[in-house]
Amino acid sequence: FGYFSGQRGDGAAISLGEVLGSDDKRWEIQLKGAGLTPFSRSADGRKVLRSSIREFLCSEAMHHLGIPTTRAGTCVTSDTQVLRDQFYDGCQKYERATIVLRIAPTFLRFGSFEIFKSADEHTGRVGPSDGNVELLTKLTDFTIATYFPQIPSSLPTEERRLAFFKEVVESTARLVAEWQCVGFCHGVLNTDNMSILGVTIDYGPYGFMDAFDPDFICNSSDEEGRYSYKKQPDMCRWNLEKLSQALAPVLDQEKSLPLLRRYDEVYAEHFLTKMRSKLGLRHAEATDSDLVDALFETMHTTGTDFTNTFLVLASLDPADQECFDRCTEDLVKQCCTIADLKAACKPKFSDR
């Protein structure tokens, strides 16, 4: 939530190793929820059935939506019981401990490069490998050589590292544009939940919007709306700034930060291209962005269901009046009632 915690993650993941496929693609295999690790802090390193099923289902759904993501291989539950407070209301109950086996080309995150961070100006915390520039150099160059083969090894070191950062910037911009186009809200967009490969990672309190609301918050603990739907593009950009800071000992920020201009450009381009496809706009027009903005404003005003709106529009044949009338009726059915809109607009106050 904007502050450096010192340790990355909750210590509930165990990497089993890496497999090189027949197509030479790399897959890291990881268990989530297998038990205590040296990094579990005061937790037990376990996950429960409900959260594991959520990760399994959503990662596969995102894959089949064409959105870059980690994948779920298996979901195994047990008779082992762990105590959890599902709604953070003091009512704890026992639940089944469950393990998800998940795979990705790598689970390296922005936060992986922050373990070398010196004292944070706000919290005073330092990374566990504070000041170890030698190890940061090894990690950076290993990452480029292993996971970014498209960057020529013949380039000078600084140019290779700049090309690496540019690739991360652009893939992140495309990823969040994909999220915005399907109404997906991640919920916890900190640096440790951002993949260097631009894939969706760590499915926690995520959510898909029903009634369209730019201020949609899927994480009940996000009282300030830091990770709301409309703020996701800004948060991902902020995380890239933090990655630039983490890389500063091996990559001059005066050269890396200007590359963030590409984030804004790539995000705008990819979002509009995707929206044109969703709306069936065959030819790009200068007014397309205004059309999308007007659609979203109407959806917000009427509380229209995000997914179903596009589903109805996909069946529209403007040349068929009967089809046009039917789609209009179906669109109206997707709108919230006045009572629903009034309830949604009530101010929210924290119990604290």
Side-chain angles (χ1 to χ4, degrees):
F1 288 91
Y3 296 97
F4 183 65
S5 64
Q7 179 184 307
R8 307 284 78 195
D10 61 2
I14 300 174
S15 287
L16 299 183
E18 186 180 68
V19 174
L20 192 62
S22 57
D23 55 1
D24 289 333
K25 288 185 177 180
R26 293 178 179 272
W27 294 101
E28 183 177 341
I29 304 173
Q30 191 177 88
L31 297 179
K32 183 175 180 180
L36 283 172
T37 72
F39 310 101
S40 295
R41 294 182 285 196
S42 60
D44 56 17
R46 297 288 190 179
K47 296 299 177 181
V48 296
L49 183 59
R50 55 184 166 80
S51 62
S52 300
I53 288 177
R54 278 171 53 82
E55 169 147 357
F56 188 98
L57 291 178
C58 194
S59 61
E60 290 305 286
M62 294 289 269
H63 170 73
H64 290 284
L65 283 170
I67 299 174
T69 179
T70 58
R71 302 291 301 277
T74 63
C75 182
V76 180
T77 193
S78 71
D79 291 329
T80 301
Q81 300 286 305
V82 292
L83 196 60
R84 292 292 185 267
D85 183 355
Q86 180 177 354
F87 300 107
Y88 303 102
D89 58 1
C91 298
Q92 294 183 320
K93 66 176 184 179
Y94 283 99
E95 301 184 57
R96 284 176 175 268
T98 304
I99 300 172
V100 171
L101 183 148
R102 57 187 186 178
I103 59 175
T106 179
F107 285 93
L108 281 171
R109 306 117 185 279
F110 292 10
S112 301
F113 295 84
E114 289 185 306
I115 65 172
F116 311 98
K117 183 177 172 61
S118 55
D120 182 78
E121 59 181 329
H122 299 292
T123 65
R125 297 190 180 103
V126 299
S129 296
D130 170 31
N132 193 335
V133 178
E134 181 182 359
L135 188 56
L136 173 59
T137 301
K138 288 181 178 179
L139 175 62
T140 303
D141 292 340
F142 166 81
T143 300
I144 297 170
T146 307
Y147 304 111
F148 294 83
Q150 67 272 34
I151 299 176
S153 59
S154 58
L155 288 177
T157 299
E158 184 179 59
E159 288 186 33
R160 295 190 75 221
R161 293 174 183 171
L162 283 170
F164 157 64
F165 187 70
K166 182 171 180 283
E167 289 274 357
V168 177
V169 166
E170 294 182 352
S171 64
T172 301
R174 288 191 294 269
L175 176 66
V176 69
E178 292 277 351
W179 291 348
Q180 300 302 95
C181 287
V182 297
F184 174 79
C185 201
H186 185 282
V188 193
L189 280 177
N190 55 39
T191 53
D192 197 46
N193 290 337
M194 300 289 298
S195 164
I196 59 159
L197 294 183
V199 302
T200 314
I201 193 170
D202 279 353
Y203 292 88
Y206 70 84
F208 286 89
M209 275 195 294
D210 292 322
F212 179 71
D213 178 7
D215 294 312
F216 173 67
I217 301 169
C218 60
N219 183 352
S220 61
S221 63
D222 185 10
E223 296 172 356
E224 302 298 323
R226 176 180 176 85
Y227 301 129
S228 67
Y229 169 80
K230 73 178 182 183
K231 290 184 179 179
Q232 289 189 134
D234 290 338
M235 286 299 99
C236 289
R237 195 185 197 282
W238 187 88
N239 287 331
L240 285 164
E241 291 176 7
K242 295 303 174 185
L243 176 60
S244 173
Q245 289 179 15
L247 291 170
V250 297
L251 182 60
D252 188 350
Q253 278 195 281
E254 289 188 3
K255 295 183 178 180
S256 63
L257 282 177
L259 293 174
L260 287 178
R261 287 194 295 265
R262 280 296 293 156
Y263 177 85
D264 302 321
E265 296 166 357
V266 172
Y267 171 79
E269 291 167 3
H270 196 79
F271 176 79
L272 189 54
T273 297
K274 193 76 175 182
M275 289 306 300
R276 285 187 179 119
S277 178
K278 287 174 73 76
L279 293 171
L281 304 179
R282 298 179 181 178
H283 306 288
E285 301 285 350
T287 57
D288 288 348
S289 182
D290 294 334
L291 176 64
V292 173
D293 289 344
L295 172 62
F296 275 23
E297 178 61 32
T298 302
M299 291 168 65
H300 185 206
T301 302
T302 59
T304 313
D305 185 280
F306 187 93
T307 301
N308 287 344
T309 294
F310 291 100
L311 187 62
V312 172
L313 290 174
S315 64
L316 175 64
D317 180 358
D320 184 336
Q321 186 61 47
E322 183 178 340
C323 176
F324 184 87
D325 293 340
R326 184 172 64 253
C327 286
T328 301
E329 292 178 5
D330 289 341
L331 281 173
V332 171
K333 292 177 183 177
Q334 305 309 320
C335 300
C336 284
T337 64
I338 295 296
D340 289 336
L341 287 173
K342 284 183 177 180
C345 289
K346 285 183 179 179
K348 300 174 181 177
F349 297 96
S350 167
D351 293 337
R352 290 180 284 182

